Amino acid sequence: MKHKILNVAVGELPDCYGVVAEDVFGKNGAIILPAGIALLSLRETRPEIVSNLLRHGITHVKVKNQPEITSGEFRDALGKVAPRINQFNPLLAQLTIHQFAAIYRNIDDKFLRERGINSLLGFSSKIHPELSKTSQITLSMVTENAANDWAHSHSLNVALLSGFLAQKLFPMWTEFAENVILGGLFHDIGKAFLPDSMRKTEELNPSELRILNCHPLLGESLLKDVGVFSGDILGAVRSHHEKWDGTGTPDNLNKEAIPISARIVAVANAFENFAAKCDDVDKRRCDQALTSVIGVTQTNFDKKVVRTLLASIGLYPPGSVVKLSDDRLGVVLETKERNLVCPRVMVFTDEKGRRAAKLEILNIAREAGVFIKDVFDDFSKRELDSYIPEETPKKILARVRAV
């Protein structure tokens, strides 16, 4: 994740969060403040630093506003938490993304694309049991990296979140949840027929926008061609851009006329879009995505689905890097529906910003006087390594099919 570089007045350094972005040199050329030093630690280790910098004529220092822990460190620590917090199987996530990428590459070859889609249709029976064991869904979502472009990881994330919400809403309807997973996975498959430039930019002219708005219909037709007749799957693909107030596309459906599978996928799709495509990199956080979804619920979404999303991930979604009221830093591990503002937090630093000698797990609900006062990063999504080496599309499809 990229971080802003701030120009901080030296008098504010001891109270800032983050690290020094570049070496600071004195008049004699010696380093006064090395790059990478944690700012909060200056309070105790370098109490004279402000006066020293001013003496050398330095009034501002470049600061990188990153936390003093990394996403990798959090993931490593997460594996040591007891009781274990179950996450979605990364191998199955890799398989799904690579199979989806192969379909996109072979979209003009009827035989290969249908073979790939049929292979993915069988994945729902594997994804749903894994999802049922996943306690905190945001920790199971994946980020874009060199191994997969945004469209493929986005489709998986929407499928996971859609299935998670479906089983929360209708815990006894296993087949429905499996169909919603597939609806989420294939919701944008119609975009595979569009030029790359049209899929990857938001700056479209009216003509291009009309073409883009046809992707739900293209996706529905494509699935019908391979023998998909489930109303839940087809409804989710066709109607995931319908809006609660009837102003959506392609059919201007409103309220309960919108298939319930589509209402679920619409919320999951919006949440994932807000979290991944915000223009401000530093605002690509799940807590802000949740706020954005809530902000347009009145016109766009089924309130029951949005309430389920809120109850499932809380006001501070798992993976959120938070500052506690006593200035300790930590990462949210899980939230409970009974108390959305008081999650469990893995604490990494003490009150002075020093790395804690031992990881501590706090249940905020049980800590008198301790509360979350700021969120400034998000470690929820995880990067996936490439599962299948670069080969010809036919071999990729054949290997995934054989798994």
Side-chain angles (χ1 to χ4, degrees), residues 98 102 105 388-389 391-401:
H98 281 284
R105 286 194 295 272
I388 301 173
E391 299 177 359
T392 62
K394 290 183 180 180
K395 290 183 179 179
I396 292 177
L397 280 162
R399 289 182 62 182
V400 175
R401 176 73 171 176

Side-chain angles (χ1 to χ4, degrees), residues 195-216:
D196 285 350
S197 59
M198 198 173 293
R199 297 199 306 257
K200 295 179 180 178
T201 180
E202 302 298 320
E203 299 177 2
L204 302 177
N205 61 44
S207 177
E208 291 172 326
L209 188 59
R210 282 194 296 272
I211 296 173
L212 178 63
N213 286 340
C214 289
H215 78 268

Side-chain angles (χ1 to χ4, degrees), residues 7-272:
N7 204 29
V8 177
V10 295
E12 300 173 4
L13 287 179
D15 298 315
C16 281
Y17 289 87
V19 298
V20 176
E22 56 187 43
D23 291 335
V24 179
F25 297 92
K27 294 177 180 178
N28 58 0
I31 294 179
I32 302 177
L33 205 55
I37 190 170
L39 294 180
L40 282 180
S41 65
L42 293 177
R43 235 184 283 174
E44 183 172 306
T45 61
R46 302 282 298 278
E48 80 294 344
I49 191 62
V50 172
S51 58
N52 196 12
L53 289 168
L54 292 173
R55 189 165 60 252
H56 284 267
I58 299 166
T59 60
H60 290 77
V61 173
K62 293 189 182 301
V63 172
K64 189 183 298 184
N65 69 334
Q66 68 181 30
E68 297 174 34
I69 55 176
T70 67
S71 179
E73 289 175 315
F74 168 62
R75 288 287 170 185
D76 290 341
L78 191 60
K80 302 173 185 176
V81 172
R84 181 182 176 185
I85 295 177
N86 292 319
Q87 300 175 75
F88 187 77
N89 187 328
L91 180 59
L92 186 53
Q94 290 168 323
L95 267 172
T96 304
I97 286 174
H98 281 284
Q99 178 65 88
F100 208 84
I103 294 171
Y104 262 65
R105 286 194 295 272
N106 292 280
I107 199 65
D108 294 326
D109 187 317
K110 187 174 186 296
F111 171 76
L112 287 178
R113 75 172 181 247
E114 290 187 359
R115 184 182 176 190
I117 290 172
N118 279 317
S119 179
L120 267 186
L121 286 170
F123 275 34
S124 66
S125 61
K126 300 178 178 65
I127 291 176
H128 182 259
E130 277 294 318
L131 208 52
S132 299
K133 297 184 292 185
T134 302
S135 55
Q136 300 295 321
I137 189 61
T138 55
L139 296 179
S140 296
M141 297 168 74
V142 301
T143 188
E144 174 188 351
N145 57 29
N148 61 85
D149 78 12
W150 179 81
H152 312 138
S153 56
H154 169 74
S155 295
L156 174 63
N157 287 338
V158 172
L160 295 179
L161 186 54
S162 297
F164 192 79
L165 294 176
Q167 64 187 15
K168 291 286 187 182
L169 283 161
F170 308 105
M172 305 302 292
W173 296 7
T174 300
E175 183 179 357
F176 175 74
E178 291 180 355
N179 288 338
V180 170
I181 289 169
L182 290 173
L185 190 62
F186 289 114
H187 76 285
D188 274 346
I189 191 65
K191 289 183 178 179
F193 290 105
L194 304 180
D196 285 350
S197 59
M198 198 173 293
R199 297 199 306 257
K200 295 179 180 178
T201 180
E202 302 298 320
E203 299 177 2
L204 302 177
N205 61 44
S207 177
E208 291 172 326
L209 188 59
R210 282 194 296 272
I211 296 173
L212 178 63
N213 286 340
C214 289
H215 78 268
L217 301 177
L218 291 172
E220 181 191 38
S221 296
L222 179 59
L223 293 181
K224 284 182 176 179
D225 284 344
V226 299
V228 175
F229 300 109
S230 165
D232 292 326
I233 299 173
L234 296 177
V237 174
R238 182 185 180 101
S239 302
H240 68 278
H241 281 302
E242 300 288 359
K243 295 183 179 180
W244 192 250
D245 64 2
T247 62
T249 59
D251 302 308
N252 300 121
L253 300 179
N254 71 335
K255 299 183 179 179
E256 282 80 8
I258 305 170
I260 181 60
S261 59
R263 286 180 253 160
I264 293 171
V265 171
V267 170
N269 182 47
F271 177 85
E272 161 64 8

Side-chain angles (χ1 to χ4, degrees), residues 218-361:
L218 291 172
E220 181 191 38
S221 296
L222 179 59
L223 293 181
K224 284 182 176 179
D225 284 344
V226 299
V228 175
F229 300 109
S230 165
D232 292 326
I233 299 173
L234 296 177
V237 174
R238 182 185 180 101
S239 302
H240 68 278
H241 281 302
E242 300 288 359
K243 295 183 179 180
W244 192 250
D245 64 2
T247 62
T249 59
D251 302 308
N252 300 121
L253 300 179
N254 71 335
K255 299 183 179 179
E256 282 80 8
I258 305 170
I260 181 60
S261 59
R263 286 180 253 160
I264 293 171
V265 171
V267 170
N269 182 47
F271 177 85
E272 161 64 8
N273 276 330
F274 281 128
K277 298 180 75 173
C278 177
D279 291 335
D280 187 342
V281 175
D282 292 296
K283 291 184 178 179
R284 292 180 185 175
R285 302 191 329 234
C286 285
D287 64 305
Q288 294 182 338
L290 179 63
T291 299
S292 298
V293 169
I294 292 172
V296 294
T297 295
Q298 192 70 29
T299 56
N300 290 20
F301 305 124
D302 183 338
K303 293 179 182 178
K304 295 191 297 293
V305 180
V306 175
R307 281 198 296 267
T308 303
L309 174 67
L310 176 59
S312 299
I313 66 175
L315 291 175
Y316 305 105
S320 300
V321 182
V322 297
K323 178 170 66 173
L324 303 179
S325 53
D326 56 9
D327 283 342
R328 286 181 291 176
L329 302 181
V331 183
V332 175
L333 292 179
E334 58 182 350
T335 189
K336 299 294 184 182
E337 186 173 352
R338 296 186 302 274
N339 198 333
L340 301 180
V341 298
C342 295
R344 278 211 308 159
V345 175
M346 180 187 293
V347 179
F348 279 86
T349 71
D350 63 14
E351 294 86 346
K352 296 182 179 180
R354 298 170 300 194
R355 184 64 62 91
K358 182 181 178 181
L359 292 178
E360 182 181 3
I361 308 296

